[in-house]
Amino acid sequence: MDSAATLLRDIFGFDGFRPGQGEIVEAVHDGKNVLAIMPTGGGKSLCFQLPALMRPGLTIVISPLIALMRDQVRGLREAGVEAGALTSGNTPEETDAVWSALDEGRLKLLYLAPERLASGGIIQTLRRAGVSFIAVDEAHCVSQWGHDFRPDYLRIGELRRALGVPVAAFTATADSETRQEIVDRLFDGNPPETFLRGFDRPNIHLAFQPKDRPRAQILSFAAARKGQSGIVYCGTRAKTESLASALREEGHNACHYHGGMEADDRRSVESRFAREDGLIVVATVAFGMGVDKPDIRWVAHADLPKSIEAYYQEIGRAGRDGAPAETMTLFGPDDIRLRRSQIDESLAPAERRDADHGRLNALLGLAEALTCRRQTLLSYFGESGSPCGYCDLCDAPVETFDGTQAVRKALSAALRTGEWFGAGHLIDILLGSATEKVRARGHDDLPTFGVGREFDRRAWQAVFRQMMGHDLLRPDPERHGALRMTEAARPLLRDETTIKLRRDTISKASATRRPTVKTLVSEEDAPLLSALKAKRRALAEAAAVPAYIIFNDRTLGEMAEARPSTLDDMAGISGVGAKKLERYGRDFLAVISGEVAEVHPARRKLAGKDAGGLYDRLLEVQTQLSRGDCGTQKPMSCSASQLAKLAEARPDDLGRMTRILGDRRAERFGAAFLDVLREAS
Ligand code: ADP
Ligand code: ZN
């Protein structure tokens, strides 16, 4: 069996593993039960696809996402791997083809929708098919508390027992409860070998902005990234529609997506997004799991996500190809109120709701962070690091001030009014503004009345928002969202601790600032990159596949920079595997150089391998000897496929050489060829 490194190179076109992949591949290959927690875009699929090719027999892949399965099958086929899928999206012909490949024992990977496990015969059939292991993608779908729960996932344990093979489960969901549920349900409680891969996605730029004319903020963010594929997440369905049309009015290619749309309409958005370059989808979180597009260049949140995990997952859809990507998350007091009340009104048990408040707090802490966002985010996942240099707070450090006095004044306003009021009324009291409501309740007589005149209303709003962000004040759903002090605030009230607040968000909004976009390639290479993209689009349309199935953005970017001039050089580009090199290499070389010298197909197959260089040297020697040693004999040459065979088989004696070349040719070239081959070994 070929080694992992060779397959990685030849089939997938990668030079090496990404962090974590190597160990997981090895464990899966060794037949261990494995649970791998990897961030989206970390390169999960390789961790089961590669062992599937290394192990004899068939690998079953269970995935909840039909579009993703079809994409992966297509990608594998492009790379020359026998793979198939059984999903409800199949045509009858596709299904027949899968069954006959199964019968003939040709199939290496079979993707199965979980629903398939419910049909009686499948387990029997798979038993006969010689399954070597089961890979479970999106393994958190077994979690009954998760949003992605799939009842049919509960059948996977049964499948594992029936086939008696190891299971490799993959998910991007980190929290320990979900992990435990996976262990219980997929592995009968026996802990598998667990891999927790780093959560950093260093190519994703992180940024938050307090809401301040939020629509303008989103439009300006999108305007600075015109022509790039992006997602805008919104809290409500109605907003997806209005924001999408606002974007269209500004000349963007944008459409909306939410769970209330007809299935057909949703599918059409999904497939447009996969295929088109530069489409913006404005969506609720319903647009998520099935999005497997690697070249999403940005993700914006028009509203605050519900938890730090959700945030991480949503921004994680950007830049899965490893090229630079940008994110921006808007948040404000209304978001906090909404998210709190959603948790409080949910039907989950009390301890679950507490945990959910905790996850929201973690996200708010990130939103109000004073130093490097990435450090703050990663520390939540238990990782440490130094300031990243690729987040808004590293770009422009915030100004902070000692907010202890301001916070104590605000708390006192809340407490002295019985914790029955929201921020607006409390700010009126602090500013000494004798509104009707203030006078009617006698709040202008409070000692707190007018003690906060050092700030204006806007500044106080920022203080209250940050207090909610630090969970010092929480809206109480039973009091119509009135702000109540939490235990966390007590030490501040007692003067036992101090708190730093950010100043910048108080004064000027940063909505108009246009962050500089990191581009894929330098200005100089940009025209070539667009030419390569145009070629890719044409090939993708001809083959009716998404563009990134041919080559992803990163691979094209590398091509534009390295400008390979031969197929061998082209083979050195990351993402160019043997099959794709053969299929598309010349098309792209032609774009780069304008034209390509004719290369014999037998030689083309050797591109990027040692045998390619050998072939060239053999050809050279052959040309020298074509009229014999002294240049007077009858011209003679070997066929290209004979040379290729020699270069690959490297015979080391004349007898074997003769078997490939025949007597006459061996007589003329044999000795010289043997020298070439010996030199090379
Ligand atoms: P996920 O973990 O989200 O399932 P994928 O398996 O889709 O991620 O991989 C994300 C991207 O990373 C893909 O474009 C894939 O081609 C690329 N990738 C995976 N492994 C490697 C590697 N070893 N070297 C370079 N690119 C890789
Ligand atoms: Zn940073």
Side-chain angles (χ1 to χ4, degrees), residues 472-512:
L472 305 174
L473 285 175
R474 245 196 221 192
D476 182 345
E478 314 212 315
R479 296 186 176 194
H480 308 292
L483 293 174
R484 305 192 67 176
M485 190 180 92
T486 64
E487 280 308 303
R490 215 164 282 285
L492 276 162
L493 202 61
R494 294 205 203 104
D495 225 353
E496 290 166 2
T497 183
T498 59
I499 185 168
K500 266 197 208 169
L501 297 181
R502 4 183 344 163
R503 172 98 62 194
D504 66 340
T505 63
I506 290 180
S507 50
K508 78 173 195 320
S510 40
T512 46

Side-chain angles (χ1 to χ4, degrees), residues 206 371-375 386-395:
L206 308 176
T371 56
C372 178
R373 287 240 196 252
R374 197 174 310 271
Q375 274 183 315
S386 40
C388 73
Y390 200 48
C391 72
D392 55 347
L393 297 177
C394 282
D395 298 343

